[in-house]
Amino acid sequence: QKEVEQNSGPLSVPEGAIASLNCTYSDRGSQSFFWYRQYSGKSPELIMFIYSNGDKEDGRFTAQLNKASQYVSLLIRDSQPSDSATYLCARGGSNFGNEKLTFGTGTRLTIIP
Amino acid sequence: GAVVSQHPSWVICKSGTSVKIECRSLDFQATTMFWYRQFPKQSLMLMATSNEGSKATYEQGVEKDKFLINHASLTLSTLTVTSAHPEDSSFYICSATGTNTDTQYFGPGTRLTVL
């Protein structure tokens, strides 16, 4: 079982709709979770991180964490063509993002105009 | 947010030569730097973790004699790919974290092509 699993997609969503990206992890001791966006040929850029159960909102993005079920998700509201990218889920440890991250394989998202 | 740079952004070299990639933190002191490798259509795989002034810790399966990492200062870490071969062609990305950062910040990456 992979440490961090994501549906590789591609996931196609109409412009203006909500895109939902999911991620599961195997290590119950995982403390911190990160969502990165990666455009083709570029390095990842951090969208948001979440440490506590529940929802965390930042603009059009909402991260959801359920430690009991070992999943974390990212919702993108009002999807824009510029949101088309690969989204990487990563888990960290107790030192949050200051220690090594384990990445999932990423989900390729395409927003259809 | 904090800024991390990498140099060069791309490099082409002949098989058997060595290539050095630099990773710099521009506006913070990076106590820890991470080196990742990403093959096409795959995710980032951590190669090694380096703490300033210490030897790097390599992930399982990464040859430490082939991928030399030096983190001699709080703003610079280097990755040297020794005797590069075509299978080493990849996208190499560093990230850095410091005592006052809340997460790690990624550099723009270096694309290595070995002919």
Side-chain angles (χ1 to χ4, degrees):
Chain A
Q1 183 183 12
K2 292 181 181 177
E3 288 192 60
V4 179
E5 294 205 55
Q6 295 181 255
N7 187 324
S8 61
L11 175 66
S12 296
V13 172
E15 182 176 356
I18 296 175
S20 177
L21 303 161
N22 299 311
C23 172
T24 59
Y25 60 94
S26 59
D27 182 358
R28 282 193 172 275
S30 301
Q31 301 276 342
S32 52
F33 304 88
F34 304 81
W35 282 101
Y36 287 86
R37 176 174 61 197
Q38 186 176 28
Y39 293 111
S40 181
K42 303 294 185 181
S43 71
E45 52 180 320
L46 180 67
I47 298 174
M48 62 192 307
F49 53 82
I50 186 167
Y51 306 145
S52 303
N53 273 326
D55 296 357
K56 180 181 179 183
E57 186 175 318
D58 184 1
R60 296 188 296 113
F61 300 95
T62 299
Q64 299 174 317
L65 175 60
N66 184 321
K67 289 188 178 181
S69 300
Q70 294 177 242
Y71 84 79
V72 58
S73 63
L74 179 70
L75 300 177
I76 306 175
R77 290 182 298 282
D78 188 23
S79 297
Q80 303 296 309
S82 59
D83 295 327
S84 297
T86 296
Y87 288 79
L88 300 169
C89 170
R91 73 153 184 87
S94 58
N95 198 16
F96 309 116
N98 291 316
E99 57 186 8
K100 71 177 187 179
L101 300 177
T102 301
F103 285 85
T105 53
T107 297
R108 188 154 56 91
L109 173 66
T110 300
I111 305 301
I112 304 169
Chain B
V3 180
V4 176
S5 70
Q6 279 185 246
H7 178 80
S9 55
W10 59 270
V11 57
I12 301 173
C13 69
K14 292 183 178 180
S15 184
T17 61
S18 294
V19 175
K20 180 184 285 188
I21 301 170
E22 293 185 348
C23 177
R24 293 182 184 272
S25 57
L26 299 185
D27 52 4
F28 68 101
Q29 293 187 322
T31 51
T32 303
M33 287 187 171
F34 304 91
W35 287 95
Y36 295 86
R37 180 168 54 181
Q38 186 176 35
F39 292 107
K41 299 191 184 302
Q42 295 187 26
S43 190
L44 277 73
M45 296 298 295
L46 181 66
M47 299 175 68
T49 301
S50 73
N51 293 302
E52 185 265 337
S54 303
K55 288 186 178 180
T57 302
Y58 290 80
E59 294 298 300
Q60 191 173 10
V62 177
E63 301 174 60
K64 62 181 180 181
D65 294 331
K66 180 171 182 62
F67 299 98
L68 303 179
I69 293 172
N70 183 284
H71 190 169
S73 79
L74 285 171
T75 59
L76 174 65
S77 176
T78 60
L79 167 67
T80 301
V81 183
T82 62
S83 187
H85 291 284
E87 57 265 31
D88 298 323
S89 298
S90 188
F91 192 39
Y92 291 86
I93 308 170
C94 72
S95 69
T97 184
T99 54
N100 295 320
T101 60
D102 55 2
T103 187
Q104 56 188 271
Y105 293 88
F106 283 83
T110 296
R111 188 161 303 281
L112 169 64
T113 301
V114 185
L115 302 176

